[in-house]
Amino acid sequence: MAQPVRLGVIGFGNVGKAFARMLLARQTELKSLGLRFVITGIFTARHGHVIDRKGIDLQRALAAGNLWEIRRRGSAIAGLEFVRTCPADILVEVSSLNPFNGEPALGYVKEALARSLSVVTANKGPIAYAYPRLVELAARHHCRILFESTVLDGCPLFSLVRETLPTTHIIGFRGILNSTSNLVLQKIEEGMSMKRAIAYAQEIGIAETNASYDLDGYDAQLKTSILVQVLLGERLTPSQITRGGIGHLSESEIRAAARRGRHYHLVSTARRKSGGVDASVEVHLLPRTDRLSLISGTSNGIILETDTLQTLTISEENPGPDQTAYGVLADCIRLSGSLPKARSKE
Ligand SMILES: NC(=O)c1ccc[n+]([C@@H]2O[C@H](COP(=O)([O-])OP(=O)(O)OC[C@H]3O[C@@H](n4cnc5c(N)ncnc54)[C@H](OP(=O)(O)O)[C@@H]3O)[C@@H](O)[C@H]2O)c1
């Protein structure tokens, strides 16, 4: 039997639970890759934590209301202590977004890398605020950090550019990156109130823990910052990116525009200029002829401008937590090939 890859998970909400369900559902496929993932610890903010070096019973964890229901002993610990004590090879960080400085997730990620644990995260905060530092920290401690699900949910964007576009320069991009805003706009066009549309986005698990981070453009601003840093290689922090949101639009103006065949979208844009990059997140009224206007509901997508393939459009139809969880799983699989170095340190 394959040696297990041990995962410590921070955050057991929509994405954390979808990830646990996916591990259960994909055991045969993982086995055929010679892989066996075992979750040895789960930490949450208000629903307790559990550590079990033999592997947590995920069915029980998913069924439990709180994690302390399945914990045999031990008292409450802080997140950093969890990272220090959980016996793991990879830290899976899927806790809530803090769009202002990425904490406390950034601290968890730094602590894990300093312990030579590789990290997989769907949390934009740490990457947007500290991408170069985290990559450098990982290199210093012979481990890696992957973050496919931070942008376009599980859609393989970073891995596609990294692994399939050698020598290509990304010159710029336009994209619809925030599913919640896109869905809310479409639901309002269909006659729903903004309040009800936001509640619907929360019900299906795609909204941030605090939905104003979606509607006011923070989520898209962080994603834009990540894309600029990773794909365009320019250090542009979130605050250097102009941020707009959909909150100021009235229901009547959204519906009136739709009747005229035009649709409001929250669009992220970045383009190289001499000496840097210009980037923004703004509400645009798009005509039907614009490819981005085809991206509706929870779908998201991006048009990359490259110096090899000209424009390349990537979109994902109606993603939710399952697709984000798939991106996390795919990153864990990618990392598992490079784990022995990290494991030999324990
Ligand atoms: N939902 C999506 O479709 C999606 C898509 C792409 C990326 N993401 C990202 O994935 C992450 C998780 O999203 P989600 O939808 O799963 O959120 P969620 O359902 O609100 O769950 C968040 C989890 O994080 C835990 N948490 C909150 N604050 C914490 C802290 N300070 N320390 C440790 N744990 C903490 C929560 O604990 P409690 O259970 O005790 O509240 C909960 O278990 C977010 O960073 C989000 O931006 C989500």
Side-chain angles (χ1 to χ4, degrees):
M1 173 135 13
Q3 190 187 7
V5 177
R6 300 162 304 165
L7 308 176
V9 177
I10 298 197
F12 203 53
N14 295 307
V15 176
K17 286 181 177 155
F19 178 63
R21 283 192 295 270
M22 190 160 286
L23 281 186
L24 289 171
R26 303 233 144 224
Q27 281 176 21
T28 310
E29 292 82 354
L30 290 169
K31 200 171 166 192
S32 72
L33 294 174
L35 284 173
R36 187 160 68 90
F37 289 112
V38 174
I39 295 188
T40 47
I42 305 175
F43 183 87
T44 69
R46 296 161 302 153
H47 292 85
H49 81 279
V50 58
I51 293 178
D52 184 339
R53 60 176 53 249
K54 292 199 188 104
I56 292 162
D57 179 338
L58 294 183
Q59 305 274 19
R60 281 187 71 211
L62 286 164
N66 288 299
L67 293 172
W68 53 78
E69 285 172 24
I70 61 165
R71 199 166 79 220
R72 282 190 216 103
R73 58 182 183 282
S75 52
I77 58 171
L80 276 180
E81 197 183 339
F82 173 84
V83 179
R84 284 184 200 124
T85 53
C86 181
D89 304 301
I90 298 175
L91 179 76
V92 174
E93 211 297 326
V94 287
S95 72
S96 303
L97 170 67
N98 171 346
F100 306 110
N101 59 19
E103 295 291 0
L106 176 54
Y108 303 151
V109 168
K110 284 198 286 197
E111 183 65 28
L113 295 174
R115 280 190 62 210
S116 294
L117 294 195
S118 286
V119 172
V120 170
T121 185
N123 191 335
K124 293 154 280 276
I127 309 299
Y129 284 100
Y131 173 64
R133 263 190 296 150
L134 295 177
V135 170
E136 189 271 323
L137 190 61
R140 194 152 24 103
H141 292 275
H142 310 288
C143 53
R144 291 178 72 195
I145 175 162
L146 292 180
F147 44 85
E148 191 65 84
S149 288
T150 54
V151 183
L152 296 194
D153 304 281
C155 192
L157 173 61
F158 297 114
S159 47
L160 178 124
V161 172
R162 191 174 57 233
E163 288 157 31
T164 69
L165 296 179
T167 78
T168 295
H169 296 284
I170 310 289
I171 299 159
F173 60 82
R174 287 173 70 228
I176 292 178
L177 305 178
N178 182 256
S179 299
T180 300
S181 299
N182 216 41
L183 177 69
V184 166
L185 288 166
Q186 187 191 329
K187 289 290 172 198
I188 292 172
E189 286 179 1
E190 291 167 4
M192 224 182 235
S193 69
M194 183 170 288
K195 201 170 161 202
R196 179 70 200 105
I198 294 167
Y200 175 67
Q202 287 168 326
E203 277 158 34
I204 63 170
I206 61 154
E208 287 300 332
T209 313
N210 179 343
S212 72
Y213 296 164
D214 293 303
L215 308 174
D216 295 337
Y218 290 102
D219 170 85
Q221 186 187 42
L222 263 67
K223 286 171 173 163
T224 306
S225 164
I226 293 173
L227 290 171
V228 169
Q229 295 185 65
V230 179
L231 300 187
L232 277 71
E234 288 286 337
R235 178 87 182 112
L236 210 59
T237 58
S239 62
Q240 291 172 291
I241 294 169
T242 311
R243 176 180 54 80
I246 67 165
H248 69 281
L249 294 173
S250 71
E251 293 169 13
S252 54
E253 69 187 312
I254 294 167
R255 289 185 198 121
R259 281 195 295 275
R260 293 195 305 272
R262 291 162 78 88
H263 302 271
Y264 283 104
H265 291 276
L266 189 62
V267 180
S268 292
T269 310
R271 201 155 207 295
R272 283 189 194 286
K273 60 172 186 183
S274 67
V277 172
D278 264 339
S280 66
V281 174
E282 281 165 326
V283 172
H284 288 241
L285 194 52
L286 300 180
R288 282 224 177 94
T289 48
D290 190 313
R291 263 177 297 163
L292 287 183
S293 76
L294 300 174
I295 295 171
S296 61
T298 69
S299 302
N300 47 36
I302 190 164
I303 304 170
L304 297 176
E305 199 183 329
T306 76
D307 66 350
T308 51
L309 299 182
Q310 303 189 36
T311 60
L312 190 61
T313 304
I314 304 162
S315 76
E316 187 181 19
E317 205 156 325
N318 291 324
D322 286 344
Q323 283 64 45
T324 303
Y326 176 70
V328 171
L329 177 64
D331 274 347
C332 288
I333 294 170
R334 283 181 200 107
L335 279 184
S336 49
S338 56
L339 281 178
K341 270 187 201 158
R343 297 173 115 188
S344 64
K345 293 218 155 217
E346 292 196 359

